[in-house]
Amino acid sequence: MTSPTPDITPLELAGALILVSRIVQARAMHATGDPNAAVHVDRRVCLQAAAQMPPTPHFDRDAWVKAWQEAREDGSLAVRKAVYRLLCQTLADHLDFDGDSWEGEHSQSAFHRIASRLRSVETRVCIDDMLGPFDAKVDPHNLWNGFVSPRFTLETARELAAQTQAMAEECGAESVDTVHVIDAGATDRDGKPLAFVLRVSWMYVEQEGAKQCTLIIEPDDEGLYSIGGWEWTWGYVHWWCLCSEPRAWHVPQCEGCGITRDQSHALKEAAPNVGEILRTLAPEATAALFTADGPPRIVSVFTGDTELAIGDGGPFDAETLGAADAALHAALGSGITDVGPHWIRFTGQDDH
């Protein structure tokens, strides 16, 4: 009976590719003294990486056999074989060197690039409240002083260009970089737009000249434009969960309270409606507390710091509270694990 092939996640494959890049770097350093040089690369680097061997410049067959035997004994051999096969296939897909073979002269940067693509997530980014938010692809592991390096579609690059040019008009071009999309309005033989992006650093033009201060940004192999990577302070757009913790945009659900990003935004959109319902009987209401142990249910209503009674003697009747509960339920459903109580504010503050 044949055992099934283990599933290898993109992150596991990316990790193996990073090890491949280190092996290639070690080979380059040994052969040329330049860690960034291109050297001959063959399937032995995949065998080393799959066996999780150290990134040495030479393939040590005895060490490899020992590592493979240890994998047989600890039960990880099937996984390592699957990593090897997937590494070879991935490199064949991305590094067609000569006909159908990827083996040949490569530098470690090529393997870093492939790994980065595998680790990339679709997210949203901004620079504080100055630029954004923009849809982007980001490798969360490619950080510069904690900041990310996003890649944008051509249409998003247009949005970014418009914002930078508006900032230049408002603040003066000498204080900001501007982005410009140069588009021929045509496509190449592969149907891709004939377009590129310019980034101009106006504050240095007088000292260094226009040529030195203008960067041409071409699309990468995915048709995306890397703008401001390793230079600008790009960060993730965040959404707020019921735990009052910020979550990066590409994280779809909070592990703590169970609320999803979509539920969080639905709650924010529902807040004015909930407030309008409660204010029919208490015009001064500014916030409420609700629980989520099942269908969401309002348990307290406030005007500023003062709690308004929702039972006997209070301004609310069962019909009004029921309508407010229904609005919350429509936004959140009943699948939240953090029962609360949680705030929902109607005026002046975000819903976290």
Side-chain angles (χ1 to χ4, degrees):
M1 182 176 178
T2 304
S3 59
T5 301
D7 291 329
I8 306 300
T9 68
L11 286 179
E12 289 174 319
L13 179 58
L17 279 162
I18 292 299
L19 184 51
V20 168
S21 74
R22 290 172 180 163
I23 296 169
V24 173
Q25 187 178 52
R27 286 189 178 192
M29 193 67 187
H30 177 79
T32 69
D34 179 3
N36 298 313
V39 293
H40 183 77
V41 180
D42 56 32
R43 293 173 188 267
R44 286 175 294 181
V45 298
C46 295
L47 291 174
Q48 283 178 265
Q52 297 182 355
M53 296 171 65
T56 55
H58 300 292
F59 180 72
D60 185 336
R61 182 169 180 81
D62 290 337
W64 175 79
V65 170
K66 181 181 179 182
W68 223 244
Q69 183 60 42
E70 290 174 352
R72 191 187 308 275
E73 294 170 356
D74 66 21
S76 65
L77 183 60
V79 173
R80 295 190 183 188
K81 285 184 174 180
V83 168
Y84 169 73
R85 288 192 293 267
L86 194 53
L87 271 175
C88 291
Q89 182 59 54
T90 301
L91 297 184
D93 291 342
H94 288 81
L95 294 177
D96 185 20
F97 181 74
D98 183 13
D100 294 326
S101 174
W102 59 266
E103 297 183 3
E105 297 289 319
H106 299 294
S107 65
Q108 54 93 14
S109 61
F111 304 97
H112 267 295
R113 184 179 69 250
I114 301 169
S116 182
R117 298 293 189 271
L118 288 168
R119 296 184 304 199
S120 291
V121 296
E122 294 186 354
T123 188
R124 305 195 85 189
V125 297
C126 63
I127 298 180
D128 298 325
D129 58 354
M130 297 168 53
L131 287 176
F134 302 114
D135 293 329
K137 270 194 172 183
V138 170
D139 175 1
H141 299 267
N142 180 21
L143 299 176
W144 168 71
N145 293 332
F147 302 109
V148 299
S149 297
R151 296 180 296 133
F152 305 99
T153 65
L154 182 60
E155 287 308 307
T156 303
R158 295 186 201 280
E159 297 175 23
L160 171 56
Q163 286 196 21
T164 62
Q165 292 168 42
M167 287 175 59
E169 290 184 8
E170 180 180 354
C171 305
E174 70 280 356
S175 63
V176 298
D177 289 0
T178 58
V179 174
H180 308 264
V181 174
I182 310 301
D183 190 349
T187 57
D188 63 16
R189 66 183 65 183
D190 296 322
K192 297 179 181 178
L194 285 173
F196 59 90
V197 172
L198 293 181
R199 197 197 74 201
V200 183
S201 299
W202 294 102
M203 65 187 71
Y204 303 117
V205 168
E206 185 175 352
Q207 291 180 339
E208 301 183 16
K211 186 175 181 180
Q212 293 296 320
C213 298
T214 303
L215 176 65
I216 297 176
I217 303 169
E218 298 182 80
D220 61 21
D221 55 340
E222 293 184 286
L224 302 177
Y225 297 80
S226 178
I227 304 174
W230 281 72
E231 292 185 90
W232 293 3
T233 55
W234 288 113
Y236 295 119
V237 172
H238 290 88
W239 60 276
W240 290 85
C241 64
L242 294 181
C243 310
S244 294
E245 293 292 336
R247 307 292 175 183
W249 185 263
H250 55 276
V251 177
Q253 185 173 22
C254 173
E255 295 181 357
C257 66
I259 193 173
T260 67
R261 183 183 65 205
D262 290 343
Q263 287 175 317
S264 173
H265 284 273
L267 177 62
K268 188 172 184 177
E269 292 180 357
N273 184 34
V274 174
E276 183 178 354
I277 293 169
L278 294 175
R279 285 175 178 162
T280 58
L281 298 180
E284 69 279 16
T286 57
L289 284 172
F290 68 91
T291 59
D293 49 344
R297 179 173 57 90
I298 290 175
V299 294
S300 299
V301 180
F302 291 81
T303 174
D305 295 330
T306 303
E307 183 175 359
L308 304 176
I310 62 171
D312 293 341
F316 302 105
D317 55 31
E319 182 179 358
T320 301
L321 291 173
D325 290 344
L328 282 176
H329 186 250
L332 295 176
S334 303
I336 299 172
T337 57
D338 191 340
V339 298
H342 300 290
W343 285 103
I344 180 170
R345 296 180 171 88
F346 317 134
T347 59
Q349 301 184 51
D350 292 336
D351 302 324
H352 59 271

